[in-house]
Amino acid sequence: MDFSLFLKALVIGLSIAAPVGPIGLLCIQRTLAHGRAIGFLSGLGAALADACYGAIGAFGVSAVISSMVAARVPLALGGAAFLAWMGVQLLRAPAATQARTAQDAATPLKAMLSVFMLTLANPMTILSFVAVFASIGTGHASSSSGAAATMVVGVFLGSALWWLGLSTVVSMVRHKLGARVLQSINRLSGALLLGFAVFQLSALLSR
């Protein structure tokens, strides 16, 4: 394994995961509502989606790239609809059921799959991976398939490392928050998710 290439991919994975958007917001909210394991698994779903897109970009599967980019509008619409649904669920969650809010995240598999699908709803990410991987892969002595696999593993582990750290930090303050504070966080999270959905829809309509 080319260690320098792996480190570059690891940093890229961290950089992709770190910005606080709808995925980060869901990870934080689910950690507060369900604990570190569910929060981390939610983030791990995003890391798996990043790894899938990274693999497509690293191995240069042009047919898949073209298909995903061509389907960007319905995928973005689906992602916006899911964000809006999540936002409504959080806004409607009563204070007496804080432990059961975001019921789609009640099981580890649902937590992971829901964020995995939401992250895949942004096919333009593929183009970013294609450009970045083409840049960092240049000049490395590894075989093309070996270098591609190294980059994909690095991106996945970098992204997963971020979600592990975020869920761990959030879980440390989880038990210090009362029911009223948790409800306020849920309401704010719901409003922000709806805002992300509206922004995504407006971006589509403006094209």
Side-chain angles (χ1 to χ4, degrees), residues 35-51:
R36 182 177 64 178
I38 292 296
F40 170 63
L41 287 172
S42 295
L44 196 61
L48 288 171
D50 288 341

Side-chain angles (χ1 to χ4, degrees), residues 109-134:
L109 182 60
K110 287 183 179 180
M112 184 183 296
L113 287 179
S114 61
V115 178
F116 175 77
M117 297 303 296
L118 180 59
T119 307
L120 284 183
N122 184 17
M124 295 307 292
T125 306
I126 296 178
L127 299 182
S128 300
F129 276 115
V130 171
V132 171
F133 280 10

